Amino acid sequence: MSNKNRLSDDELNRYSRHLILENIGLEGQLKLKNSKVLVVGTGALGSPALLYLSAAGVGTIGIIDFDIVEESNLQRQIIHSTKSIGKSKISSAKMQINEINPNINVVDTEDRLSSRNALEIIKNFDVVVDGTDNFQTRYLINDACVFLNKPFIYGAISKFEGQTTVFNHKNSACYRCLFPNPPKAGLVQSCSEAGVLGVLPGIVGTIQATETIKLLLNIGENLNNRLLSFDALKMRFIEYKISKNENCAVCGKNPTIKELIDYEEFCGLKNLKEDIKVDELSVEELKKLILDKEDIEIIDITQKNIMNLEAIANSKKLEVNQILEDLNLLDSSKKVIIVCTIGLKSKELILKLKELSYKGEIYSLSGGLSAWNNSL
C-alpha cells in the first residue's frame, strides 16, 4: 500500500483528534493528505491559513511570494519571526511549515503571480487561497480559477474589518460577480496606508483555512454565495447573500473575458512600473541639508495627523491630488523632499510623478514624519 493510501504511526498520532471526528476519520484524513492547496501570498492572511492547513495535514501546499520579511510585517504575519527579517518570505514560510509538520510537501515559487504564470501554477492545485493585498492579483486569481474550474477562497482586511467567502464553487458567484470593476486607483487604502489590527488577519485567515478544509472534505456548508463580514471593534459577524451574475464578464452565460488580461492596466496601475527608482533620504540626511541651509523644498502630504506628529519646520502642506493635477506646485529648481506619515505614500507619489515625466530632483523621507518625530 502506497504512502498516499495510508497514515504512518506518526501521522496516526499527530491527527488523532481528527480521526475521532465522525465527519473526518481515517478516510477524511487521507483526503487531506492527498489534497493540494495553493496559498497566494505568505503575509497577513497567508500566515494563519498556512499554519492551520499545515497542522491539519493537507499533503501538498503551494506557496508563492516574491517579497522579503520586514520588521513591520511581524505585527500580523505570524508565520515569520524576528530571525526571518531580511530573508525571503518564501524561505521563511517554508521553514515554519516544515517545523509544524514535516510530512507536508511544500511547493514554493519565489515569484509574482502574473498572467504569464498563473494558469500553469494554479492548474496543479485543488483549491486556491487568497492571501493577497491588491486588486489586480485578486482579479487574476479569480479569472484563472474560473478558466480552470478551481474554487477560490477569498479574504480581505482593512483597519478593524475583514471579509471572506468562497468563489467559483458548485456554480457559485465569482469575484467579478461581486466586484465587476476595481475601484479607481488610489481610492482604497492599503494596510500599509490605513493600518490594520494585528489579530484581524488571524481571524479571517483562519476562517479561510476552515473553509478550505471543509471544501476538501466535502463536509458542512461552505460560504458559497455568502459573504461573511467581521467587525472586530463591535465583535460582530454579518452575513450578506451574494449571487452569480449571469452577465458576468468571465463566468456568465456569454463571457467577454476568455483569457487572462493585463490586470495592472485593468486596475489603473499600468503606469506604476517597478523598475522606476525612488530616491530616499534618511532623517539624518535631511537634518544635515537643513543645517547646511541647502536650497530644498519639503512637501508634507500627510492627510490626517492621527499620531499627533509634529510637522517639519517650513514644510509646505499639499494634497496628493493637488500635486498630480499641477506639477508646477513643486519647485523643480530645488531638491524636493516628499514627507508622509511612515514613508510609503511619499514613494507612491514619486512613482506617479516620474510617470508624469517630472524631471526635478525629488526624494522620499525614509520613515516619514514618524521617523522624524522619533529623532527629536
Side-chain angles (χ1 to χ4, degrees):
M1 188 178 293
S2 70
N3 288 334
K4 289 186 176 181
N5 295 320
R6 64 181 294 273
L7 298 180
S8 66
D9 291 341
D10 167 71
E11 289 172 313
L12 288 170
N13 187 48
R14 180 182 291 269
Y15 307 126
S16 59
R17 300 305 188 274
H18 273 178
L19 298 176
I20 58 177
L21 282 174
E22 183 179 350
N23 288 336
I24 301 182
L26 179 60
E27 181 181 352
Q29 195 62 50
L30 285 171
K31 281 184 181 179
L32 294 178
K33 182 175 182 176
N34 289 289
S35 295
K36 298 178 180 180
V37 174
L38 175 65
V39 179
V40 182
T42 60
L45 290 171
S47 287
L50 285 167
L51 293 175
Y52 276 106
L53 292 172
S54 303
V58 173
T60 298
I61 295 180
I63 52 176
I64 179 168
D65 209 320
F66 61 93
D67 210 350
I68 63 170
V69 179
E70 299 179 359
E71 190 170 21
S72 62
N73 299 149
L74 304 181
Q75 166 252 16
R76 64 204 176 281
Q77 299 182 18
I78 57 173
I79 202 167
H80 309 298
S81 69
T82 302
K83 292 180 180 179
S84 301
I85 295 173
K87 296 180 181 178
S88 73
K89 287 186 177 180
I90 280 290
S91 63
S92 173
K94 184 176 182 179
M95 181 178 67
Q96 187 60 26
I97 290 170
N98 289 143
E99 280 288 318
I100 292 171
N101 193 342
N103 300 306
I104 304 301
N105 172 35
V106 181
V107 179
D108 57 306
T109 304
E110 192 163 359
D111 197 357
R112 183 191 297 272
L113 192 71
S114 67
S115 54
R116 167 184 55 83
N117 59 21
L119 293 174
E120 191 64 26
I121 292 172
I122 291 174
K123 73 177 185 181
N124 298 311
F125 295 90
D126 304 313
V127 180
V128 180
V129 178
D130 173 20
T132 66
D133 61 357
N134 62 81
F135 292 102
Q136 63 269 29
T137 309
R138 288 196 185 112
Y139 281 103
L140 170 64
I141 295 170
N142 177 79
D143 294 359
C145 284
V146 170
F147 297 152
L148 295 169
N149 195 28
K150 306 284 186 179
F152 170 24
I153 314 295
Y154 160 77
I157 52 171
S158 181
K159 297 182 180 179
F160 297 93
E161 299 180 0
Q163 56 184 214
T164 184
T165 187
V166 177
F167 289 123
N168 200 45
H169 177 51
K170 294 183 177 178
N171 202 36
S172 68
C174 80
Y175 183 70
R176 283 185 186 268
C177 291
L178 187 59
F179 305 109
N181 297 295
K184 187 177 179 181
L187 185 63
V188 178
Q189 290 181 308
S190 66
C191 288
S192 62
E193 298 165 329
V196 62
L197 180 67
V199 299
L200 177 67
I203 297 167
V204 176
T206 302
I207 293 173
Q208 288 179 280
T210 304
E211 289 298 290
T212 302
I213 292 169
K214 286 162 51 186
L215 190 152
L216 293 171
L217 295 174
N218 194 27
I219 61 174
E221 297 180 15
N222 278 109
L223 286 171
N224 304 343
N225 292 328
R226 295 185 292 149
L227 181 72
L228 187 64
S229 177
F230 173 62
D231 184 330
L233 288 180
K234 296 179 180 178
M235 194 49 67
R236 178 182 300 167
F237 285 93
I238 300 177
E239 183 179 300
Y240 299 94
K241 289 185 178 180
I242 56 179
S243 59
K244 189 177 182 69
N245 178 8
E246 299 299 337
N247 296 316
C248 176
V250 71
C251 78
K253 290 183 176 179
N254 298 295
T256 56
I257 298 174
K258 300 180 181 180
E259 60 183 16
L260 300 183
I261 62 175
D262 187 328
Y263 293 89
E264 283 70 27
E265 183 176 15
F266 177 66
C267 293
L269 301 170
K270 183 68 175 177
N271 292 327
L272 297 183
K273 300 184 184 298
E274 294 181 2
D275 57 355
I276 297 177
K277 186 175 183 295
V278 174
D279 293 314
E280 292 186 271
L281 284 180
S282 67
V283 168
E284 291 72 23
E285 289 171 324
L286 178 56
K287 284 183 175 180
K288 188 176 187 305
L289 290 176
I290 295 172
L291 186 64
D292 294 344
K293 297 183 178 180
E294 292 277 350
D295 194 17
I296 63 174
E297 183 176 55
I298 303 172
I299 304 296
D300 186 336
I301 62 168
T302 54
Q303 293 179 324
K304 294 181 180 179
N305 198 351
I306 58 176
M307 298 169 65
N308 295 317
L309 299 172
E310 183 178 335
I312 300 173
N314 300 316
S315 60
K316 183 179 179 181
K317 186 79 173 175
L318 289 174
E319 293 183 4
V320 170
N321 288 339
Q322 286 180 292
I323 297 170
L324 293 176
E325 289 171 4
D326 184 4
L327 301 190
N328 291 322
L329 290 173
L330 305 180
D331 189 343
S332 59
S333 67
K334 298 179 180 181
K335 287 183 180 179
V336 175
I337 296 93
I338 307 293
V339 180
C340 65
T341 305
I342 59 174
L344 294 173
K345 288 289 287 184
S346 54
K347 288 193 284 188
E348 289 183 2
L349 173 59
I350 292 173
L351 279 173
K352 293 176 182 178
L353 288 171
K354 292 196 173 188
E355 284 294 330
L356 292 172
S357 300
Y358 179 79
K359 301 300 183 184
E361 192 175 354
I362 190 164
Y363 300 86
S364 168
L365 178 63
S366 180
L369 275 183
S370 298
W372 178 267
N373 278 250
N374 198 43
S375 71
L376 299 178

